Amino acid sequence: AVALKFYFDPTQDERVDREIRALEGFRHPNLANLIDHGRIEIQEKTVRYVAWEFIEGEALDHRLGRGPLAPKLVACVGRDASRAIGHIWKKRIVHRDVSPKNIMVRSGENEAVLIDLGIARHLSETPLTTAGVTWGTIGYMSPEQCRAEKQLTCYSDVFSLGIVLQEALCAQHPTRGDQERILTHPCRTAQIA
């Protein structure tokens, strides 16, 4: 079984090419591994496709809909997602979207897999994102991502993973999704009466 993704927008070709180049020959048990890619005709239109290893399990965002995870499972998610982050960083790739929707918990709940490198930042290549624009999921971006800094590192992904793990333990986002306000406004000193 495979997971298929179709790309109908030719303006995304360079981003798709980068994702494919990053994953070709790049295998890891905690990443969705590339199986095949190419172009096919659908209703007289040429469409790109990418096929990944099918991950038998459930996306973490769906799993969290049933409540918090057991601490042991949160530890497994942290271990496996951090291994995946470390592995892609060897190629100087920052995922930029480490969030519950991009982490699969394998059936049996003892392993996690990081998926979807579609908006990853490849530091060895010219940026595709317009200056001053950022990509990622609101509520999970690091402060440097929120500031649209170009020279991200794996620390950005580690920051995002920390938010994911806090949410997994509590089944509630640590800032209730209002992360941008907290990151962009200075903290106020509490007044003690």
Side-chain angles (χ1 to χ4, degrees), residues 45-120:
K45 289 181 85 174
T46 301
V47 176
R48 295 189 73 168
Y49 73 89
V50 179
W52 287 276
E53 158 195 18
F54 180 76
I55 309 300
E56 186 71 42
E58 182 178 23
L60 184 58
D61 61 341
H62 292 281
R63 174 64 184 78
L64 289 174
R66 296 194 303 275
L69 292 129
K72 183 177 180 180
L73 178 54
V74 174
C76 290
V77 169
R79 174 199 65 205
D80 295 346
S82 62
R83 285 176 177 167
I85 289 166
H87 194 68
I88 64 173
W89 181 243
K90 289 177 185 174
K91 284 194 173 186
R92 293 304 180 251
I93 297 171
V94 181
H95 189 283
R96 288 201 305 186
D97 200 13
V98 176
S99 60
K101 71 176 187 241
N102 286 329
I103 296 175
M104 295 289 296
V105 177
R106 286 193 191 270
S107 295
E109 296 198 340
N110 59 359
E111 276 189 349
V113 177
L114 185 62
I115 63 171
D116 197 352
L117 289 167
I119 65 168

Side-chain angles (χ1 to χ4, degrees), residues 1 5 23 41 48 51-52 82 108 118 127 129 133 139 164 167 175 180:
K5 190 170 184 179
L23 292 172
E41 295 288 324
R48 295 189 73 168
W52 287 276
S82 62
T129 305
V133 175
V164 170
E167 183 175 4
T175 64
E180 185 176 358

